[in-house]
Amino acid sequence: MLRSASRGERHVAELVSAEMVANVHSVVVSVGDHVESGAMLLVLESMKMEIPVLSEVSGLVSEIRVGAGDVVQEGDVLMVIG
């Protein structure tokens, strides 16, 4: 996960990124949902294994960039929490 913020801003957006090549099995949250640290955000599937992607921060889901069935590459941004 990467963090980014403009100089002088307190608000930090958390970019949730793929750690491997995988298929998006399901997205559990929606834009506007408030999530706590440790909450499941989505499920990836790779080599017939389901891999849950958990939030590392608490915050508001502001953007979802993938949907069920999408193929993601390592480093792709999946969603933004901020």
Side-chain angles (χ1 to χ4, degrees), residues 1 16-22 44 51-54 56 72-76 78:
M1 295 205 179
V16 180
S17 303
E19 294 185 5
M20 67 185 75
V21 175
L44 297 178
I51 302 110
V53 177
L54 308 177
E56 293 184 3
V72 297
Q73 303 295 317
E74 183 177 348
D76 285 355
L78 307 174

Side-chain angles (χ1 to χ4, degrees), residues 5-82:
S6 299
R7 183 173 224 162
E9 281 189 45
R10 289 185 184 187
H11 176 74
V12 176
E14 184 79 11
L15 302 178
V16 180
S17 303
E19 294 185 5
M20 67 185 75
V21 175
N23 294 314
V24 178
H25 181 270
S26 60
V27 179
V28 180
V29 297
S30 300
V31 172
D33 287 354
H34 184 271
V35 295
E36 297 295 327
S37 179
M40 185 183 308
L41 303 172
L42 55 96
V43 179
L44 297 178
E45 181 182 357
S46 180
M47 298 174 54
K48 299 187 181 189
M49 293 179 48
E50 291 184 1
I51 302 110
V53 177
L54 308 177
S55 178
E56 293 184 3
V57 298
S58 296
L60 193 69
V61 177
S62 58
E63 189 176 337
I64 298 175
R65 298 185 182 179
V66 296
D70 289 350
V71 176
V72 297
Q73 303 295 317
E74 183 177 348
D76 285 355
V77 175
L78 307 174
M79 66 180 58
V80 179
I81 300 173

